[in-house]
Amino acid sequence: MSIATLWRLPIVKAETGFSRSTLYQRIKKGLFVPPVSLGGRSVAFPANEVSAINAARIAGKSDDEIRDLVEKLVAARALAA
């Protein structure tokens, strides 16, 4: 079992440069990973997933390639659970 670092929204906004609304638009379009529930109304984003998406963007990956990456990251969550 690995321990994942979770980032709350202010850190994710700082790491990506996205506003809250842009971040959630990207999630809706499949261009960013959805948050995980911490219970109640609290959510957070796995730091490794945010970093992977940032690295893909820096590498110049297309939106379709980013969508594929997001799908793989979300699928890996399900396997780890």
Side-chain angles (χ1 to χ4, degrees):
M1 181 173 152
S2 66
I3 298 174
T5 300
L6 297 174
W7 286 343
R8 299 294 302 270
L9 187 59
I11 296 172
V12 175
K13 287 170 48 179
E15 289 291 318
T16 62
F18 296 147
S19 68
R20 181 187 184 284
S21 60
T22 298
L23 184 65
Y24 280 95
Q25 284 175 347
R26 288 178 148 314
I27 292 168
K28 187 175 180 178
K29 293 178 181 179
L31 296 172
F32 204 82
V33 292
V36 295
S37 176
L38 299 178
R41 293 178 40 186
S42 297
V43 297
F45 297 81
N48 64 313
E49 295 177 4
V50 174
S51 296
I53 293 169
N54 283 344
R57 281 280 173 215
I58 291 167
K61 301 291 183 182
S62 69
D63 282 353
D64 288 335
E65 291 170 312
I66 299 293
R67 278 188 197 92
D68 289 341
L69 173 61
V70 168
E71 287 177 17
K72 289 176 184 173
L73 292 169
V74 172
R77 277 187 201 174
L79 293 176

